[in-house]
Structures are given as structure tokens and as C-alpha cells.
Amino acid sequence: MSDFDRSPDGLAFSLAVQAAQDRLGSRPQYARAQWPIDISPDLEAFISAQRSVFLATASAEGQPYVQHRGGPPGFLKVLDSRSIGMADLRGNGQYISLGNLSENDRVELFLIDYAHRRRVKIWGRARMVEDDPDLVARLMPDAMRGRAERAFLIEVEAWDVNCPQHIPQRFEAEDVAAALAEKDRRIDELEREIEGLRSRFPNWEGCGDALWET
């Protein structure tokens, strides 16, 4: 085990979770599990491509809250091998995540890529930075719409990749639109080629050796 591995025990696998694993028979496969901490190049590429992420926080009393965050690819940015950041945009003013973080800095990110049926969980500790406009500007993608109020930073404690089982395959609307546009472009191109062949070979009936009968 290297210094860059972390046992899930004490992070995600509390004593109660371990007891459940023992009772249901899965404890042996997880007893020696190790999760990476450092963000790998593959994980960085995955994070940078996401348009959507779910953020879980909890109050000091343990009341959970899950919030969706979204934006253009790159809105969730890897800052270094153990840090992730994003601009915190003005929303509906409830500030539940902000309030939770003021008394409990533990967070989890859940990222899911429906098109490629991949999902990643990231555990960490988060903080808001409200007095660093340069950092906020660095985290704000050019294509991002909205007004950033602060920077949201996460120090990664561990991450894990889930299996693709039961993930429905879905595609982003703009990706579908781009694919359809490319299909239409190719159809137009082929139709022009056909018209060109018809003008060159007016007796062509489109079958057999008729193309070569002049």
C-alpha cells in the first residue's frame, strides 16, 4: 500500500456499514480495499468533460442535502493532484450547501456519464472562498452563464469508480444535434454525388451494368 491509498473504513465504511457487510457476507471483499487519493490523468479527463455533478453535504446534525451543479465542460476544474474547484454561481438564495459547509466541511461528489455509462464518487472536504476574485475568474469557464459569487474548493480524500451496471445510456441534446447535423451533411453530400452521376450517365438506371451503357 502506498501513501496515496486510503482505506474506505472510517470514510465511507463506518462501523455500522462494516457490521452490515459482515451480516450480509460482503465484508471479505472490502476488508482490504484501498481507494486512490491522487487524481489520475484519466480521472482528470473525466472530470473536465462533465457537464453535470451532484454535490452532497450535511448539516452538523447529519441532515443530508444533495444539490445539482452544471455548466459547460470544464466548469468543474482539477487544480492539482488532490484539489478540485468550481465557481459558485448565484442561485435561488437558499444557501443550504453554503450553510452546511460552515459547520460540516465533509462533501461527496457524484459524477455520472450516461453516454459512456461511467460513474465516479469523490469524497473530500470543502470550503468557500469569497475574497479572491482572481481565483473565481480562473474557475469560471468562458462559456459559463451566470454570476459567480465565490470559489468552491474541494480537497480530495478518496475516490472510487462504480461499475456500469444499471446505468441507462443517455446522450446530451447538443451531442445528438451535432450527430444529426453531421448525418444530414453526409446525406446532402451523397445526394450531390448521385446527381452528378446522373448528369454524366443519363441512361443509368442504377442497377447492374447500366452505368457503363452509353
Side-chain angles (χ1 to χ4, degrees), residues 19 40 84 88 104 129 147 151 169 184 192-193 198 204:
S40 68
I84 300 171
D88 188 47
N104 181 356
V129 178
R147 195 182 94 184
Q169 194 168 39
D184 291 341
R192 288 194 298 271
E193 289 182 11
R198 284 176 175 163
W204 178 40

Side-chain angles (χ1 to χ4, degrees), residues 55 84-86 88 101 107 126-128 139 150-154:
L55 167 68
I84 300 171
M86 60 180 163
D88 188 47
L101 290 174
V107 297
R127 60 190 177 93
M128 296 289 191
L139 295 174
R150 59 191 64 82
F152 180 85
L153 303 179
I154 297 174

Side-chain angles (χ1 to χ4, degrees), residues 138-195:
R138 177 185 172 192
L139 295 174
M140 190 75 171
D142 292 337
M144 194 80 164
R145 300 174 62 183
R147 195 182 94 184
E149 294 187 316
R150 59 191 64 82
F152 180 85
L153 303 179
I154 297 174
E155 294 298 319
V156 175
E157 293 189 308
W159 57 275
D160 186 37
V161 179
N162 284 107
C163 72
Q165 189 176 17
H166 306 306
I167 300 177
Q169 194 168 39
R170 299 172 180 169
F171 300 92
E172 296 286 343
E174 65 183 74
D175 293 337
V176 173
L180 290 175
E182 174 59 22
K183 182 201 70 170
D184 291 341
R185 185 199 65 78
R186 182 56 177 158
I187 290 173
D188 290 342
E189 182 180 88
L190 292 172
E191 286 179 342
R192 288 194 298 271
E193 289 182 11
I194 292 171
E195 288 302 317

Side-chain angles (χ1 to χ4, degrees), residues 27-49:
R27 184 61 187 161
Q29 74 183 85
Y30 292 117
R32 296 183 179 180
Q34 297 294 327
W35 287 344
I37 301 177
D38 278 10
I39 298 170
S40 68
D42 285 346
L43 179 60
E44 181 173 2
F46 181 80
I47 290 172
S48 299

